[in-house]
Amino acid sequence: MSRYETNVLLYRLKKDAAFRDRFRADPRQALAGADLSDEEREAFVRWDARKLNDLGGLLHLLISIPGLGSH
Amino acid sequence: MGRIVYAAAMSHVLYPDYYGQNVGPHGRRMVEELIAVVREMGRSLTAAAPDALVVIADDHLNVFSFDAIPALCVRVGRSVNRMIQDDAIEFDRALDGLPERYPVHEDLATSILERGVQAGFDFAASWSAPLDHAFLSPVSTLYGDRPVPPLVPFWVNCFVTPQPTAKRCFEAGRHIARVVADGPWTVAVIATGGLSHFPELSLARIGQSDPVFDRRIVKLMETGDHDAMTALTAKELHESGSHELLNWLVLLGAVSPARARVRFYGEMGRVDLAALEWDVA
């Protein structure tokens, strides 16, 4: 499990609009160089926020990514 | 000799649309009642005419990146900007239309920082961190169109390692009180956030608060039982969703042994709301 990498990516999705656009267009490609487990990668690709939270993704990031965050 | 002339703590999402959208009419009404009370409190604060306003609040992984996360951080410099964020989430839409820049009380901020380090507090300093809703939603509600005094923003890291302990936060507040007492300024202190919400920081538990815990905490502050407050554990704060009480603990240290007066208390379900004042004059 790469909790640090998960949260760095969530933070980047929150703050970096260009990265966010690339992720929306092709999540698997946007995450190609990321050091994630298969489980984490799939949770990102499916945008399964609860799964990401269970895997250590920080709540305040998960709920605040423009266009993806939800309460 | 300086003194603290006003002290209060309050929830910090003072934005009816957020609650209307996420809780419904009941949530909207409750926060509108809280906002009316905070505006009244702002008249007392304005009448106290502080030279500086210390605002103790937390970062929502919004300001500090994973490059470094300070446990306790003093904002220094001469001014501080409002956070501007494209596609801001609901929390931060409350900042739309507010001034883009606020003055910092440089001498008080630097004194808290430098004397703190001498006293054994490993405070971080920031010259550039902007302010999000945790600071400006309460400040703008308290002051309305009136001029805001120079600020001393003080961050407490509430959600990720390294969080300071409740006792450490209280001690940091005692330190702030000593700096104020030794200086020439009249100072107001507010802490923001809470009450319980987002238990265990679990997405699955959004929508739950812990009213039993909140009633207990408010009673402890009313009775001035600061030993019980400083004994709160990280586990208790995490399980109840009371992470932001760490901000309030800094304020308690600054005003101790004063007792709190409850100006507003409401159990919404998703988050319990409160506004308290301390008799410091």
Side-chain angles (χ1 to χ4, degrees), chain B residues 165-195:
Chain B
T165 62
K167 186 167 183 293
R168 190 61 167 164
C169 289
F170 187 87
E171 288 166 351
R174 301 301 301 151
H175 163 71
I176 291 171
R178 283 191 293 273
V179 172
V180 170
D182 292 344
W185 311 288
T186 57
V187 176
V189 184
I190 64 168
T192 85
L195 296 175

Side-chain angles (χ1 to χ4, degrees), chain B residues 72-147:
Chain B
L72 297 164
C73 179
V74 185
R75 180 62 160 78
V76 292
R78 298 181 65 82
S79 66
V80 58
N81 287 345
R82 164 170 70 89
M83 173 173 278
I84 295 174
Q85 196 171 338
D86 292 338
D87 304 320
I89 59 163
E90 296 141 331
F91 291 153
D92 287 320
R93 281 186 213 139
L95 306 185
D96 290 349
L98 296 182
E100 290 188 8
R101 181 173 291 196
Y102 295 79
V104 168
H105 198 293
E106 188 174 30
D107 290 343
L108 177 58
T110 302
S111 294
I112 290 171
L113 172 67
E114 293 183 350
R115 285 192 49 191
V117 172
Q118 288 162 16
F121 291 94
D122 295 323
F123 291 149
S126 174
W127 282 262
S128 62
L131 303 181
D132 74 356
H133 70 271
F135 290 86
L136 293 182
S137 184
V139 167
S140 63
T141 305
L142 285 162
Y143 276 94
D145 293 331
R146 298 183 292 272

Side-chain angles (χ1 to χ4, degrees), chain A residues 50-71:
Chain A
R50 283 203 180 188
K51 182 71 176 176
L52 287 168
N53 188 219
D54 291 343
L55 292 171
L58 294 165
L59 177 71
H60 287 87
L61 294 175
L62 287 163
I63 65 175
S64 64
I65 297 169
L68 290 172
S70 67
H71 291 52

Side-chain angles (χ1 to χ4, degrees), chain A residues 4 7-8 11 14-15 20 49-50 53 58-61 63-66 70-71, chain B residues 18 22 60-62 65-66 85 87 89-90 159-160 198 201-204 206 270:
Chain A
Y4 171 77
N7 283 305
V8 166
Y11 187 84
K14 174 173 174 163
K15 294 287 187 180
R20 197 162 60 236
R50 283 203 180 188
N53 188 219
L58 294 165
L59 177 71
H60 287 87
L61 294 175
I63 65 175
S64 64
I65 297 169
S70 67
H71 291 52
Chain B
Y18 171 74
N22 290 287
H60 299 80
L61 306 169
N62 215 11
S65 75
F66 290 99
Q85 196 171 338
D87 304 320
I89 59 163
E90 296 141 331
F159 297 117
V160 294
F198 298 172
L201 300 179
S202 164
L203 201 55
I206 284 187
R270 181 190 181 85

Side-chain angles (χ1 to χ4, degrees), chain B residues 222-242:
Chain B
E222 278 186 293
T223 56
D225 189 345
H226 296 165
D227 287 342
M229 289 296 293
T230 55
L232 287 167
T233 65
K235 185 169 181 285
E236 286 175 286
L237 298 176
H238 185 60
E239 289 179 349
S240 62
S242 302

Side-chain angles (χ1 to χ4, degrees), chain A residues 19-32 36 41 44-47:
Chain A
F19 179 65
R20 197 162 60 236
D21 289 345
R22 288 211 315 280
F23 177 81
R24 279 195 186 123
D26 187 344
R28 207 170 288 281
Q29 177 63 33
L31 299 174
L36 296 170
R41 193 175 302 275
F44 269 106
V45 168
R46 293 195 314 276
W47 191 247

Side-chain angles (χ1 to χ4, degrees), chain B residues 22-34:
Chain B
N22 290 287
V23 180
H26 158 68
R28 173 182 283 277
R29 272 195 305 277
M30 187 176 284
V31 79
E32 285 173 346
E33 289 170 23
L34 170 60

